Amino acid sequence: MSSESLRSSMFRQFPDEKGRFGIYGGRYVAETLMHALDELDRIYTELKDDPGFIAEMDSDLTHYVGRPSPLYLAERLTEYAGGAKIYFKREDLNHTGAHKINNTIGQALLAKHTGKKRIIAETGAGQHGVASATIAARLGLECVVYMGAEDIARQAPNVYRMKLLGAKVVPVTSGSKTLKDALNEALRDWVTNVDDTFYIIGSVAGPHPYPKLVRDFQSVIGREAREQCLEREGRLPDSLVACVGGGSNAIGLFHPFLEDESVAMYGVEAGGDGVETGRHAATLSAGKPGVLHGNKTYVIADDDGQIIETHSVSAGLDYPGVGPEHSWLKDVGRVNYVSINDDEALEAFHLTTQREGIIPALESSHAVAYGLKKAAQMDKDKIVLVNLSGRGDKDIQTIAAIDKIELG
Amino acid sequence: MTNRIDTCLNGLKSEHRTALVTYLVAGDPDLDASLTAMHCLVKAGANILEVGVPFSDPSAEGPSIQRGHERALANKVGLKNIFQLVAEFRKTDSDTPIVLMGYTNPIEWMGIENFANQAQSSGVDGVLTVDLPPEEAEGYTSVFEKVGLVNVFLVAPTTSDERMQSIVDTASGFLYYVSLKGVTGSAKLDISEVQARVETIKGLSDLPVCVGFGIKNAESASAVSACAEGVVIGSAIVDLLGQCKSQAEVVEKLKPYLSEIRQAID
């Protein structure tokens, strides 16, 4: 599908009933899971417009998550960049410290309606694992979280949080021992325990209907931001910026704006040591279309089609695939995908901490870094809205290690 | 177009024998060992060889076959090497059907037509792509048909009757019934459940049914052979190959193991 043939009013009508965004998405899974995916699709379709379900979801988002999250004018960073006004959508202020909880609340409510008593989740940085463990504790469900052994080592505080919340954290030692392998292991668990287990996928990845329902649950970010910006500034922002690993916070911010032609969008991938070095996680910038974790999307692989280990200072962006809707939005040209290297993200982390008194997650620091660059190129009457997807408490150890400081 | 798979399964049917289908991962522990193992399996009674294409993210495999994939990937074995392996095997065995079993990404990466042409010319007869259900296989089936490759599909314990019909309509060669809810090599086989499901499949299709996942020994193989045209052994063979330090050991370990299963199902 070419961008010429696609009118802007059509951007929000995907996926189609087969779960396709153009050529991307779909359901590339073993036969055993097809029935469970059909069931999930049926239940979601039934519930998503049900007033009772919507009221339950809204109530949880208000009283448990603490929504709406503020839209904050980062004055001293605006001054630093010297161009457009920089606003932060403060997803870092959500309960559990990131946007991930928006989706887990939604999926846990679906789980509740299916009557399944056991939930499983995969996690990279640990934020989705913590959000899943949190909601499992609240609903009295058994929770098992799969996490790459390498990620367990670099995200120790989140691992402990999950354990405190009563979840079982299972280290994954196969493959590259990171998020992609945790996803494989969660799929293996699901295929084995499909009768009594609900799989809460944390990103807009996986087989249909996951990319759609995760997007829908995360779209609260963009709906609020749109309203808040109109109220505050009397107009829409000129640019949206969000980091992209799997891409759930980005799609959540972008989706409600897709039909607003005046709004430019930037998805920021992890450039690691630099895309040219090969040590990065910039799937859309450097990958090509393939199939991973149940959907057709851009992936990073070698000549034989083997998925390659990626690199990023932030565990949450360290993923060799990306949500299928992002692949499609790239191809039709609606969203620009760019990359920010480790060192630039670290610089933005420190700037945000010191100039705004906000410690951002390393993932979100990638978005801040690009937001600063973008704002500097724009006039002062323009608006850049950056999704501050999570807080950086979990990254303190990583930062200390990089700065060669020993924590007691 | 007649295919080695059809010829093989028809022949066995007329003899009232069950097909013994064996799986190994190409390049595990190395390509020479795979070639030796393939010939050895045929000598010990295998009728169809499933050759696993190693993948970095084998999400349907249990620990045994995962390790097989990892060992093969440590040798950087990819589709190109596997086509050479099959061509080499064909030099001295022109009858035994070969089915490549793997995941979608390496095929997409190579391009479906390129893959199909190379597979066919190297002597591959069929393809089973674990994460490619019929809904996603549209672009594959016609290309495979053109070169005479059989497209094998899975049927699972969770497959509804409605889906089963659409799988049966898309499949050729044989149907692969996944005997349990789980990954390869699981240990919770329920024989009476398998028999009931295979009955249902047979009510919808004339295609032969091979049953795999969780069949480890002569006893379970024998029980399954009573209701299906074929029995698939995978993880147990991969475990044995993983222990082999030499080509001689491959033969030493595989031959008695498989001969016992052959006897049990005959």
Side-chain angles (χ1 to χ4, degrees):
Chain A
M1 195 179 306
S2 73
S3 51
E4 289 80 25
S5 69
L6 198 72
R7 289 197 313 277
S8 64
S9 62
M10 289 168 63
F11 281 123
R12 292 173 68 194
Q13 291 172 13
F14 289 83
D16 63 19
E17 78 272 15
K18 286 185 79 181
R20 293 251 170 214
F21 304 88
I23 64 163
Y24 301 106
R27 269 183 196 164
Y28 294 82
V29 294
E31 177 59 29
T32 314
L33 291 178
M34 290 301 282
H35 177 70
L37 293 168
D38 277 338
E39 273 296 281
L40 179 60
D41 195 24
R42 189 184 59 75
I43 288 163
Y44 178 61
T45 307
E46 207 173 282
L47 289 176
K48 74 182 171 59
D49 301 316
D50 176 83
F53 181 80
I54 294 170
E56 212 177 345
M57 175 96 193
D58 285 349
S59 169
D60 274 358
L61 289 176
T62 306
H63 303 294
Y64 191 63
V65 178
R67 301 205 72 92
S69 69
L71 185 70
Y72 166 79
L73 176 61
E75 286 183 72
R76 295 193 63 219
L77 283 180
T78 299
E79 186 190 286
Y80 175 86
K85 275 189 198 172
I86 298 171
Y87 276 97
F88 284 163
K89 179 61 176 163
R90 296 291 306 274
E91 291 299 300
D92 60 314
L93 293 176
N94 292 342
H95 180 41
T96 72
H99 72 290
K100 292 288 184 189
I101 191 89
N102 303 327
N103 166 49
T104 48
I105 292 268
Q107 289 198 50
L109 282 179
L110 292 178
K112 200 173 110 181
H113 281 268
T114 63
K116 292 183 177 176
K117 297 278 183 247
R118 178 175 181 268
I119 62 170
I120 56 170
E122 84 295 337
T123 198
Q127 290 303 108
H128 174 60
V130 167
S132 300
T134 298
I135 196 68
R138 173 151 174 269
L139 296 176
L141 302 171
E142 183 191 347
C143 179
V144 176
V145 179
Y146 290 95
M147 188 167 184
E150 189 161 308
D151 291 335
I152 286 183
R154 55 183 171 174
Q155 300 289 343
N158 268 345
V159 175
Y160 187 54
R161 283 165 84 194
M162 287 183 263
K163 287 180 180 164
L164 285 173
L165 288 158
K168 185 179 163 202
V169 181
V170 180
V172 177
T173 54
S174 55
S176 62
K177 306 178 180 66
T178 60
L179 177 59
K180 80 175 180 72
D181 310 285
L183 237 147
N184 292 331
E185 208 53 39
L187 284 169
R188 291 178 189 123
D189 179 314
W190 198 29
V191 91
T192 307
N193 303 295
V194 65
D195 292 331
D196 68 349
T197 297
F198 190 99
Y199 180 16
I200 300 189
I201 292 189
S203 196
V204 282
H208 176 67
Y210 282 104
K212 173 180 156 180
L213 66 89
V214 176
R215 174 199 73 197
D216 290 352
F217 291 143
Q218 291 294 1
S219 290
V220 66
I221 302 172
R223 283 198 305 273
E224 284 177 9
R226 200 171 181 283
E227 222 169 273
Q228 288 165 324
C229 191
L230 284 172
E231 194 175 306
R232 221 31 208 276
E233 292 279 348
R235 65 185 193 85
L236 293 174
D238 299 287
S239 295
L240 301 178
V241 183
C243 63
V244 177
S248 69
N249 90 80
I251 210 78
L253 176 65
F254 296 164
H255 195 258
F257 289 93
L258 284 177
E259 290 165 14
D260 298 311
E261 285 176 44
S262 67
V263 181
M265 301 183 190
Y266 301 89
V268 186
E269 297 191 300
D273 290 347
V275 174
E276 71 289 350
T277 66
R279 280 174 53 79
H280 61 80
T283 308
L284 289 165
S285 307
K288 62 175 202 174
V291 171
L292 179 65
H293 296 143
N295 65 93
K296 182 176 274 193
T297 191
Y298 277 73
V299 300
I300 301 178
D302 68 12
D303 291 345
D304 289 328
Q306 309 297 350
I307 306 301
I308 300 178
E309 249 176 84
T310 50
H311 169 82
S312 169
V313 69
S314 86
L317 302 183
D318 211 347
Y319 181 58
V322 66
E325 191 165 7
H326 286 293
S327 293
W328 175 68
L329 289 170
K330 174 193 161 79
D331 282 7
V332 299
R334 179 64 187 94
V335 178
N336 306 289
Y337 292 91
V338 297
S339 63
I340 283 290
N341 296 350
D342 284 353
D343 54 351
E344 298 172 297
L346 287 165
E347 190 192 349
F349 171 91
H350 287 296
L351 274 171
T352 308
T353 304
Q354 287 162 15
R355 290 189 155 253
E356 297 293 345
I358 295 171
I359 302 180
L362 279 173
E363 291 76 12
S364 321
S365 300
H366 286 73
V368 174
Y370 190 78
L372 287 168
K373 269 192 194 177
K374 195 74 213 161
Q377 297 160 2
M378 293 163 70
D379 292 339
K380 290 195 173 176
D381 61 346
K382 301 287 185 192
I383 300 167
V384 172
L385 197 160
V386 176
N387 199 11
L388 205 75
S389 54
R391 60 176 174 246
D393 307 39
K394 68 180 175 60
D395 297 313
I396 298 302
Q397 284 193 333
T398 306
I399 300 288
I402 290 167
D403 291 344
K404 301 201 167 45
I405 292 164
E406 267 190 49
L407 300 178
Chain B
M1 209 181 300
T2 45
N3 179 291
R4 287 187 195 93
I5 295 174
D6 299 332
T7 310
C8 167
L9 289 170
N10 287 334
L12 287 166
K13 193 178 177 186
S14 64
E15 296 167 21
H16 303 287
R17 292 176 75 213
T18 308
L20 181 53
V21 184
T22 59
Y23 172 94
L24 53 73
V25 183
D28 166 32
D30 59 52
L31 285 161
D32 289 340
S34 294
L35 185 63
T36 305
M38 287 162 75
H39 286 302
C40 169
L41 289 165
V42 174
K43 279 199 192 104
N47 305 108
I48 298 178
L49 298 178
E50 270 183 9
V51 175
V53 180
F55 183 47
S56 50
D57 294 79
S59 56
E61 315 298 347
S64 295
I65 296 183
Q66 278 176 53
R67 280 194 290 272
H69 281 243
E70 284 176 10
R71 287 190 294 266
L73 288 177
N75 299 326
K76 301 229 176 292
V77 171
L79 279 171
K80 285 192 270 328
N81 312 97
I82 294 168
F83 295 143
Q84 284 164 8
L85 171 69
V86 173
E88 195 61 36
F89 175 81
R90 282 277 172 254
K91 285 182 182 166
T92 50
D93 186 329
S94 51
D95 298 325
T96 309
I98 292 180
V99 176
L100 293 191
M101 182 167 177
Y103 292 78
T104 309
N105 199 57
I107 301 178
E108 293 265 327
W109 218 248
M110 177 171 269
I112 302 170
E113 288 200 19
N114 187 5
F115 166 82
N117 290 334
Q118 291 197 52
Q120 194 275 336
S121 62
S122 70
V124 171
D125 306 287
V127 181
L128 197 178
T129 311
V130 181
D131 56 350
L132 194 77
E135 285 87 340
E136 307 298 351
E138 273 172 33
Y140 288 70
T141 314
S142 55
V143 176
F144 286 5
E145 263 172 22
K146 215 187 310 175
V147 296
L149 280 177
V150 159
N151 209 0
V152 180
F153 286 96
L154 301 171
V155 177
T158 51
T159 306
S160 65
D161 291 357
E162 194 186 354
R163 279 191 57 77
M164 212 184 276
Q165 186 64 57
S166 79
I167 294 171
V168 163
D169 293 344
T170 317
S172 52
F174 62 93
L175 289 163
Y176 187 125
Y177 180 66
V178 176
S179 63
L180 45 80
K181 291 170 194 157
V183 292
T184 50
S186 303
K188 54 171 196 182
L189 193 64
D190 179 344
I191 297 288
S192 58
E193 163 82 16
V194 170
Q195 283 167 345
R197 295 290 293 175
V198 171
E199 282 294 294
T200 312
I201 299 172
K202 289 188 170 299
L204 294 172
S205 165
D206 293 332
L207 283 174
V209 179
C210 295
V211 178
F213 282 45
I215 302 164
K216 285 186 159 51
N217 50 34
E219 193 194 347
S220 49
S222 162
V224 169
S225 74
C227 71
E229 280 86 357
V231 174
V232 189
I233 313 278
S235 298
I237 291 173
V238 175
D239 275 341
L240 286 178
L241 284 169
Q243 297 161 11
C244 293
K245 303 270 182 293
S246 67
Q247 308 265 345
E249 216 181 327
V250 167
V251 178
E252 213 172 280
K253 281 198 158 60
L254 284 186
K255 211 172 169 194
Y257 171 75
L258 206 71
S259 303
E260 194 193 339
I261 291 178
R262 179 77 258 176
Q263 278 176 354
I265 63 172
D266 275 339

